[in-house]
Amino acid sequence: MHILLLPSWYPFQNNNAGLFIAEQAKALSCCPDLRISIINWGPNEFVLKLRKLSQIYNTIQRYRSSKSEILHLNNNLTEYRIPHLTWTSHIGKGNYPSLAHKMLKQIELIEKEFGKIDIIHAHQTFPAGFIAYNLSRYLSVPYIITEHSCPFPFREFKTPFGIRKMMLTSLANAAAVIAVSNWLAGLIKSYIDIPVIVLPNSVDTDFFKPSSYVGAEKSSPIIFSMTQPIKRKGIDILIQAVKLLKSKDCNFVLKIGGDGNKLSYYKHLAEKYEVKDRLEWLGYLNREKALPEYQNCDFVVMPSRLESLSMVILEALACGKPVVATACGGPQDLINSANGILVEPDNPSALAEGIEFMLKNYNSYQAEKIREDCLNRFSDAAVTAKLEQIYNQVKNRQIS
């Protein structure tokens, strides 16, 4: 079966957004009955942000210097890079109709080499789902949408009466709509009355796994948090929780991974709350650098205000680590009594109480059971088997 994958986020050159989609594509290509073709237009690389005029010139220069290329990643997986400039959907539908036209030319070449496409799989309702809807009409091929948005929909697609027509049309005509959590499925169905399948993202459990190395005894428990320094991720809540814990003389070191424009603000906030001595800022961590932080910590904290799922939680569980997470949407599907605790979001006191509980009890969690549960629910093998089943149902028109 030939699947055309259209990702709204995907790694391109130095931009690693959507890495989890690339990992899922690789896992799908290991299924002997699947052939995966990806069209990657640089969705995060060539966006003209009209409110940031100073960046437009650089974006156009990057676009002009980029070239189309074909990457044969393995026998069943090929990525076709066709750079394309896009912008807000409020102006000319974001230049996505012309991208769909450009894709049709590429699809002709793809089908000559690998045969007819059976299903288009779009990640996100917009832009990928919108493009898939237009391609589907021309090619007479069904498409499915996996929605990841947090929140859903993004503000650009809201109207006083719900969501924009381009979103509704894309969802209504999809052969199947998948949400990565029950929380997100509920949001989608609050805007449009359609069936929604819940299927989480998978995590690379061959890479993210416990370490066999036993290090020296630690003088303080180590807490790890992997996040972006933006408001939705709740670092300010975490810093306030640390202040409350410090006032109780709790012994710990909190390591925070992640980088961005707002990082200096949060470092200043830590100084303001006099908790600088309890924090270690690690900066940007790729997966290779993040792995030992997961492995060597005692537990992980996820303080977000809103998450559609949380790859950080999945990576922690794959490494056998218990998690303190906010009940902010997706984490409710991930956390249970055997692998961590949930606390109220946007509440420093609740988060501090959760961390204090885990400081006293992390040794009572069993790494082997945490990882086993993760393997059963979120491994590549577990998730791709369910996704392949959905593909077969769509191809055989068994989903209504």
Side-chain angles (χ1 to χ4, degrees):
M1 191 185 330
H2 190 178
I3 308 298
L4 175 63
L5 196 65
L6 302 182
S8 297
W9 307 307
Y10 207 79
F12 195 102
Q13 297 176 357
N14 297 321
N15 193 316
N16 280 323
L19 182 61
F20 62 93
I21 299 175
E23 290 174 351
Q24 185 181 89
K26 183 179 178 182
L28 283 168
S29 72
C30 294
C31 300
D33 295 328
L34 295 182
R35 161 77 215 171
I36 310 297
S37 298
I38 305 165
I39 296 184
N40 180 4
W41 65 92
N44 310 100
E45 189 72 14
F46 305 115
V47 180
L48 297 181
K49 298 179 180 180
L50 304 184
R51 293 184 179 181
K52 297 182 179 181
L53 296 177
S54 60
Q55 297 179 9
I56 290 179
Y57 175 80
N58 291 333
T59 301
I60 293 174
Q61 289 299 106
R62 286 200 310 274
Y63 170 71
R64 286 178 172 173
S65 63
S66 64
K67 296 180 180 179
S68 297
E69 58 181 326
I70 300 174
L71 305 178
H72 294 287
L73 304 177
N74 63 40
N75 290 337
N76 289 328
L77 179 62
T78 306
E79 178 184 339
Y80 300 85
R81 292 189 171 184
I82 53 168
H84 189 78
L85 283 173
T86 60
W87 46 78
T88 174
S89 63
H90 290 294
I91 301 176
K93 296 183 179 178
N95 203 28
Y96 291 107
S98 67
L99 175 58
H101 180 73
K102 185 187 291 187
M103 284 185 181
L104 284 172
K105 295 180 180 179
Q106 186 66 61
I107 288 169
E108 287 183 20
L109 300 176
I110 293 172
E111 291 191 326
K112 281 183 181 179
E113 185 171 3
F114 296 111
K116 188 178 186 305
I117 290 165
D118 295 294
I119 297 170
I120 303 170
H121 186 173
H123 284 270
Q124 296 288 94
T125 307
F126 193 92
F130 173 74
I131 296 169
Y133 164 70
N134 284 280
L135 293 177
S136 174
R137 294 172 67 194
Y138 186 87
L139 299 170
S140 298
V141 171
Y143 69 96
I144 69 174
I145 295 173
T146 294
E147 186 57 63
H148 305 265
S149 290
C150 184
F152 178 88
F154 292 135
R155 186 169 57 182
E156 180 179 347
F157 304 105
K158 283 188 174 182
T159 73
F161 310 102
I163 58 176
R164 291 171 61 188
K165 184 178 179 181
M166 63 173 63
M167 294 276 284
L168 290 173
T169 301
S170 301
L171 289 167
N173 288 278
V177 175
I178 299 169
V180 295
S181 66
N182 282 285
W183 171 82
L184 183 55
L187 278 181
I188 294 170
K189 288 191 279 190
S190 71
Y191 288 100
I192 180 171
D193 185 17
I194 56 171
V196 180
I197 302 165
V198 176
L199 183 65
N201 295 326
S202 60
V203 60
D204 185 350
T205 52
D206 291 330
F207 181 84
F208 290 101
K209 57 187 177 182
S211 173
S212 57
Y213 172 73
V214 178
E217 187 174 342
K218 293 171 281 194
S219 58
S220 301
I222 296 176
I223 307 170
F224 179 51
S225 187
M226 181 79 166
T227 186
Q228 292 175 283
I230 58 176
K231 183 176 181 180
R232 180 171 66 83
K233 296 294 185 178
I235 300 183
D236 56 326
I237 302 300
L238 180 57
I239 290 171
Q240 292 175 63
V242 170
K243 180 184 178 182
L244 294 172
L245 292 165
K246 184 177 178 180
S247 70
K248 294 183 177 183
D249 292 323
C250 293
N251 180 36
F252 65 91
V253 174
L254 171 61
K255 295 185 176 185
I256 301 176
D259 197 9
N261 296 333
K262 299 288 187 180
L263 183 59
S264 59
Y265 166 78
Y266 290 108
K267 287 183 176 181
H268 176 73
L269 193 65
E271 292 181 4
K272 175 184 175 182
Y273 286 120
E274 299 180 343
V275 296
K276 182 180 177 181
D277 59 315
R278 297 300 184 96
L279 306 182
E280 184 177 335
W281 301 93
L282 304 177
Y284 170 75
L285 299 177
N286 58 24
R287 70 200 307 251
E288 287 74 21
K289 291 182 179 179
L291 178 61
E293 301 300 336
Y294 284 117
Q295 292 173 330
N296 297 329
C297 74
D298 292 297
F299 61 94
V300 170
V301 174
M302 198 290 297
S304 292
R305 290 178 166 90
L306 206 61
E307 291 286 346
S308 60
L309 191 66
S310 177
M311 290 306 299
V312 168
I313 293 178
L314 292 181
E315 290 163 2
L317 299 180
C319 292
K321 299 299 178 178
V323 178
V324 178
T326 52
C328 61
Q332 289 93 302
D333 287 1
L334 310 181
I335 300 299
N336 55 47
S337 60
N339 64 21
I341 58 172
L342 290 167
V343 301
E344 183 181 346
D346 210 1
N347 186 330
S349 297
L351 184 58
E353 289 176 9
I355 294 172
E356 185 176 12
F357 171 87
M358 192 61 75
L359 284 167
K360 296 175 181 177
N361 294 282
Y362 65 84
N363 281 322
S364 66
Y365 289 86
Q366 299 181 45
E368 296 82 4
K369 288 189 175 181
I370 292 175
R371 178 169 168 82
E372 182 181 6
D373 178 57
C374 181
L375 288 170
N376 290 335
R377 294 196 290 156
F378 309 117
S379 66
D380 286 337
V383 174
T384 56
K386 293 177 182 177
L387 187 51
E388 187 175 13
Q389 184 179 25
I390 293 170
Y391 289 157
N392 282 315
Q393 290 172 340
V394 168
K395 185 180 179 183
N396 297 325
R397 303 189 184 281
Q398 293 174 347
I399 291 181
S400 58

